[in-house]
Amino acid sequence: LYDLHVKYGGQIVTFAGYLLSVQYKNQGILQEHHYTRNVCTLFDVSHMGNIKIYGDRRYDFLERMAVADVKELKKGTAVLSVLMNKDGGVVDDTIITNMGDHISMIVNGACKNKDWAYFQKVQEEEFHQFAANGQLKLDYVTSNALLALQGPRAAEIFGNVLGLGDSLNLKNMGFLNATYHHIKAIDADCMISRCGYTGEDGFEIAVPESKAIALAELLLNEKCGGLEPVAKMAGLGCRDTLRLECGMCLYGHELNETISPIEAQLSWLLGKRRKVEGGFYGFDKIKAQLTNGVLVRRCGFETKGMAAREQTDIIDENGSPVGKVSSGSYSPTLKKPIGMAYVKVPQNKVGTKLKAVVKGKPQELVIKKLPFYEPKYYRVPAQKLNNLLT
């Protein structure tokens, strides 16, 4: 989608082997951030990876690596999870969706090649016989682009693009629901998921590469009965500030192969059955941490003065090191510097006053509850919990 970025004035950088935009001309990160929170923006996230798993053994295979209760995941629903290594660290974070006859996974762009190699290794070492007899098949999808339409008016815009009388009823499609659907306006079969990485309502649409620009232009030019198009392009810059306000982890910052989901305050990702039965790599370490606790934990913080960026040291009142910043930035919504860090227990408790050493100078830091901004995901009204299709 390079031509699309250029057309809309994208400031292009290289990320995960892709040319992507940090921000757009005459907008900037602050404006794009506020526009996402209040109206709607479109992100090109085609750098993300998509892995599909087929066969009767797909659940057993995935539960060897992921902590989620995949076997209990209903058709058309998704769950956030993490892939584990044998030491109890996180290989990657992922969205896992049960699409009926297969599982579809979205993985991080910077990790997708590593993840694919990891999947193949596990298949060869533990599931070779099932791959040989057709009970397990892995597919690394390269034919699709991925667009993320995010913001309070996302459903209105997308609904208008789908058109009157379309069989997909967005009002009955809740957060973390997904379906395959033929979008008539571009004559293409797409995978549509109601999710995102901004804390706002929205959709991620996996669309054939050849139809991606056409779909993007339809979304960007939809006027919703007004005089001007509603949605605008947004780049990686505001995507980072949006996720930070919502306390969402970014791989390579809050997560890596030496950090456990318990240290990352992600124990809620573990399905109830999985906490007892285990079966995933690193379970012994995770079970011990659930029982005995951990030495450091991820937490949120606010600072006075400059934003404390990644790898900034955090010290206590005596000047002793107690943690490091994993992500930090100015919050456009809260209008103050915020961040996340790994801090020793018990200094990670909300309200604890510490100091961040910014450019050699200690400045006040207070541990805050996550998230800073409460996500506004769409929930289906109780009376409409029936089916995605009318």
Side-chain angles (χ1 to χ4, degrees):
L1 302 185
Y2 178 78
D3 290 343
L4 184 76
H5 294 293
V6 172
K7 175 182 176 180
Y8 286 92
Q11 181 180 317
I12 307 297
V13 298
T14 301
F15 180 81
Y18 285 77
L19 294 174
L20 298 171
S21 180
V22 174
Q23 62 186 50
Y24 290 84
K25 186 178 180 181
N26 300 325
Q27 292 178 193
I29 293 173
L30 287 176
Q31 290 88 342
E32 291 171 15
H33 181 109
H34 289 306
Y35 205 77
T36 307
R37 287 271 181 259
N38 296 294
V39 188
C40 186
T41 56
L42 182 68
F43 297 83
D44 172 19
V45 289
S46 302
H47 60 289
M48 304 291 279
N50 184 199
I51 297 172
K52 295 183 179 181
I53 309 172
Y54 297 83
D56 294 341
R57 292 286 177 168
R58 61 189 182 276
Y59 300 113
D60 296 326
F61 173 77
L62 188 50
E63 286 198 352
R64 196 72 182 101
M65 294 167 284
V67 302
D69 191 343
V70 184
K71 292 178 181 177
E72 292 300 315
L73 194 60
K74 295 179 180 179
K75 179 182 176 181
T77 61
V79 65
L80 174 66
S81 191
V82 287
L83 304 174
M84 303 292 293
N85 63 26
K86 293 180 180 180
D87 296 322
V90 176
V91 175
D92 199 4
D93 57 309
T94 177
I95 296 288
I96 299 170
T97 308
N98 183 354
M99 297 306 294
D101 68 339
H102 69 279
I103 291 168
S104 179
M105 300 176 63
I106 296 296
V107 298
N108 282 297
C111 298
K112 61 185 180 183
N113 293 328
K114 175 185 75 170
D115 294 347
W116 179 240
Y118 185 40
F119 276 42
Q120 291 178 306
K121 182 175 184 288
V122 173
Q123 176 183 255
E124 180 62 28
E125 291 180 351
E126 300 189 34
F127 292 84
H128 177 73
Q129 71 275 27
F130 303 117
N133 66 21
Q135 289 183 282
L136 180 66
K137 179 186 174 184
L138 308 180
D139 181 20
Y140 184 85
V141 181
T142 59
S143 57
N144 290 336
L146 187 63
L147 300 176
L149 187 69
Q150 300 284 296
R153 297 188 69 179
E156 178 188 4
I157 293 166
F158 191 35
N160 284 355
V161 168
L162 289 175
L164 287 173
D166 191 273
S167 60
L168 181 60
N169 187 340
L170 298 182
K171 290 182 179 179
N172 287 0
M173 188 178 193
F175 177 61
L176 289 179
N177 280 173
T179 187
Y180 285 113
H181 188 70
H182 187 81
I183 299 180
K184 298 174 185 176
I186 58 169
D187 190 24
D189 294 324
C190 300
M191 179 176 167
I192 301 167
S193 305
R194 196 158 198 165
C195 63
Y197 194 49
T198 65
E200 300 298 332
D201 184 24
F203 303 87
E204 290 190 351
I205 309 159
V207 53
E209 214 170 66
S210 61
K211 301 295 181 76
I213 288 182
L215 178 59
E217 291 286 18
L218 285 173
L219 295 169
L220 290 167
N221 285 286
E222 175 56 48
K223 297 180 181 178
C224 296
L227 298 177
E228 298 291 334
V230 177
K232 296 181 180 180
M233 289 292 292
L236 294 176
C238 79
R239 194 164 182 257
D240 190 52
T241 55
L242 289 160
R243 69 93 192 171
L244 181 56
E245 289 183 345
C246 296
M248 297 176 180
C249 295
L250 175 63
Y251 196 86
H253 290 247
E254 285 71 45
L255 300 173
N256 62 42
E257 299 221 17
T258 66
I259 295 173
S260 79
I262 312 307
E263 293 168 328
Q265 297 275 38
L266 296 175
S267 58
W268 56 274
L269 295 182
L270 279 71
K272 291 181 180 179
R273 174 177 62 85
R274 309 305 308 282
K275 285 182 180 180
V276 177
E277 296 179 6
F280 54 83
Y281 293 132
F283 174 64
D284 288 344
K285 181 176 179 179
I286 299 306
K287 186 176 181 180
Q289 289 183 341
L290 286 170
T291 302
N292 304 320
V294 292
L295 299 178
V296 297
R297 282 189 184 273
R298 178 173 67 99
C299 55
F301 68 82
E302 292 179 2
T303 56
K304 291 186 178 180
M306 297 177 64
R309 304 291 181 177
E310 180 189 7
Q311 293 301 307
T312 295
D313 289 321
I314 298 174
I315 59 176
D316 64 16
E317 58 184 8
N318 298 317
S320 300
V322 294
K324 276 190 181 292
V325 174
S326 54
S327 293
S329 182
Y330 176 79
S331 164
T333 305
L334 279 65
K335 295 181 172 56
K336 63 178 72 173
I338 63 170
M340 290 187 284
Y342 278 89
V343 175
K344 290 180 181 179
V345 177
Q347 286 97 332
N348 67 311
K349 289 183 178 179
V350 173
T352 302
K353 294 181 180 180
L354 301 168
K355 292 185 183 297
V357 183
V358 180
K359 296 187 176 181
K361 297 180 179 180
Q363 63 181 38
E364 292 181 28
L365 178 151
V366 180
I367 303 299
K368 292 289 184 177
K369 183 181 178 181
L370 293 173
F372 302 99
Y373 175 88
E374 197 64 40
K376 298 178 180 177
Y377 303 130
Y378 177 74
R379 307 293 181 184
V380 177
Q383 68 271 24
K384 294 179 180 177
L385 284 173
N386 44 27
N387 198 300
L388 292 182
L389 303 180
T390 54

